[in-house]
Amino acid sequence: MSCIFCRIIGGEIPAQVVARDEVTLAFLDVSPLADGHVLVVPHSHVARLDDLEPGEADALFRTVVRLSGPVRDALGADGSTIGVNNGDATGQTVPHVHVHIVPRWHADGAGSIHSIFPPGAKRGVAEVGDAIRAALEVR
Ligand code: AMP
Ligand code: ZN
């Protein structure tokens, strides 16, 4: 098994595990963006959120929600940035779904998720809305 997160789930390599259930595992990121940076992963090895079974997706986000308050409290943080790099085009480096929970403080010097994008969508929102609604209908 070569996936680093599958090896953590399987107990082959160590991690600072903070929560575990039948479907998900949460552990500290080995190169934290801030103190208390947690990764929440499903046990099943899939690369993208949309590859998860509905029950796995429910369990994953239940764990994220369950952890977000305690992680904030444990670090004395003011909030958290919660995000997913979903696919290699986004900079995802480990192809096993993981949700980042990164504690945040007022004036910690980091930006909002808006700050990672250059300005300027190219298409109108009504046209894009039509395209997404059409894509939903064909699934
Ligand atoms: P991403 O860029 O969204 O794919 O994030 C992958 C994350 O996994 C990075 O923040 C890494 O620091 C983290 N990571 C990689 N290997 C390990 C490991 N062995 N234990 C904990 N976190 C890891
Ligand atoms: Zn994996």
Side-chain angles (χ1 to χ4, degrees):
M1 179 196 313
S2 62
C3 170
I4 194 93
F5 292 169
C6 283
R7 294 174 70 195
I8 289 173
I9 292 160
E12 281 182 43
I13 60 171
Q16 282 292 324
V17 172
V18 295
R20 181 197 309 273
D21 63 23
E22 311 78 53
V23 184
T24 67
L25 187 75
F27 51 93
L28 295 184
D29 195 295
V30 75
S31 301
L33 294 170
D35 291 338
H37 181 173
V38 169
L39 301 175
V40 185
V41 304
H43 291 189
S44 64
H45 177 89
V46 295
R48 291 176 186 250
L49 277 178
D50 33 306
D51 297 327
L52 289 169
E53 297 297 330
E56 293 173 327
D58 290 350
L60 183 69
F61 278 92
R62 271 200 305 277
T63 300
V64 171
V65 171
R66 182 162 72 87
L67 280 167
S68 62
V71 168
R72 205 171 53 234
D73 292 348
L75 278 299
D78 300 316
S80 50
T81 293
I82 296 176
V84 177
N85 290 323
N86 199 39
D88 58 10
T90 69
Q92 182 179 4
T93 58
V94 179
H96 182 133
V97 169
H98 49 285
V99 181
H100 296 262
I101 303 176
V102 186
R104 298 290 305 271
W105 289 264
H106 294 299
D108 61 12
S112 82
I113 57 169
H114 294 78
S115 65
I116 66 177
F117 293 93
K122 298 177 186 62
R123 295 167 64 181
V125 291
E127 176 197 337
V128 171
D130 285 343
I132 294 172
R133 283 185 289 273
L136 278 168
E137 278 166 17
V138 298
R139 294 204 173 190

